[in-house]
């Protein structure tokens, strides 16, 4: 299981903050291409792709309040329901659910959550979802 740490920025390489800055430029629509964003902040495309899904900026007031989780579900009755029950059991609130139609008997699902009332850690939640028969590729996409 992955572990997450809150680390003072002064301990990290400048590349991490530049990756976050490039992602913010892209997300805001101020810059349209990754090439342009990385050039503006002064990092390589390789560095951006290497860290873009691994580093996030947060402040203490918003930590662990929202998350996005992606997963693959076998096309079988009751699997999504079992996953949703895991969220309910943890006291996480579901904000959105996007489920695509199954292709080759597997459907991709992206769920956004409010974690502010959750009673377990995000790692414990992810593990409980992985334990549901019929789930695969359970990933924390982002956390705020």
């Amino acid at each position: 299981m992955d572990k997450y740490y809150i680390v003072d920025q002064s301990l990290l390489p400048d590349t991490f903050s530049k990756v976050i800055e490039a992602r913010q430029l892209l997300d805001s629509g101020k810059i349209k291409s990754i090439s342009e964003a990385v050039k503006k902040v002064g990092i390589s495309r390789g560095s951006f792709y290497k860290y873009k899904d691994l580093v996030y900026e947060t402040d203490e007031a918003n930590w662990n309040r929202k998350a996005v989780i992606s997963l693959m579900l076998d096309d079988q009755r009751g699997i999504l329901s079992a996953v949703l029950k895991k969220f309910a059991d943890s006291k996480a609130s579901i904000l959105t659910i996007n489920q695509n139609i199954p292709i080759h008997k597997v459907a991709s699902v992206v769920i956004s959550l409010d974690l502010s009332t959750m009673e377990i850690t995000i790692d414990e939640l992810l593990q409980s979802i992985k334990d549901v028969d019929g789930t695969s590729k359970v990933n924390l996409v982002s956390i705020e």
Side-chain angles (χ1 to χ4, degrees), residues 62-102:
N62 289 327
W63 181 249
N64 274 355
R65 297 197 56 114
K66 292 182 189 141
V68 177
I69 296 173
S70 71
L71 54 150
M72 302 298 283
L73 301 179
D74 291 348
D75 185 20
Q76 296 175 8
R77 184 174 301 132
I79 295 175
L80 179 57
S81 178
V83 168
L84 297 178
K85 183 171 181 344
K86 296 293 184 180
F87 293 122
D89 291 346
S90 73
K91 306 288 190 253
S93 296
I94 296 171
L95 301 172
T96 64
I97 302 172
N98 280 326
Q99 180 178 358
N100 293 318
I101 61 169

Side-chain angles (χ1 to χ4, degrees), residues 37-131:
V38 298
K39 184 176 180 182
K40 181 164 180 79
V41 300
I43 58 172
S44 68
R45 286 174 55 94
S47 292
F48 178 80
Y49 283 113
K50 182 175 183 178
Y51 298 116
K52 72 179 180 66
D53 296 324
L54 299 173
V55 296
Y56 301 94
E57 181 178 50
T58 188
D59 60 40
E60 289 180 37
N62 289 327
W63 181 249
N64 274 355
R65 297 197 56 114
K66 292 182 189 141
V68 177
I69 296 173
S70 71
L71 54 150
M72 302 298 283
L73 301 179
D74 291 348
D75 185 20
Q76 296 175 8
R77 184 174 301 132
I79 295 175
L80 179 57
S81 178
V83 168
L84 297 178
K85 183 171 181 344
K86 296 293 184 180
F87 293 122
D89 291 346
S90 73
K91 306 288 190 253
S93 296
I94 296 171
L95 301 172
T96 64
I97 302 172
N98 280 326
Q99 180 178 358
N100 293 318
I101 61 169
I103 298 176
H104 304 294
K105 298 185 180 185
V106 178
S108 67
V109 179
V110 177
I111 300 174
S112 63
L113 305 164
D114 179 344
L115 308 176
S116 60
T117 58
M118 197 165 73
E119 296 180 345
I120 61 175
T121 68
I122 191 72
D123 287 335
E124 291 169 330
L125 176 62
L126 293 173
Q127 186 58 53
S128 73
I129 295 167
K130 288 177 183 179
D131 291 342

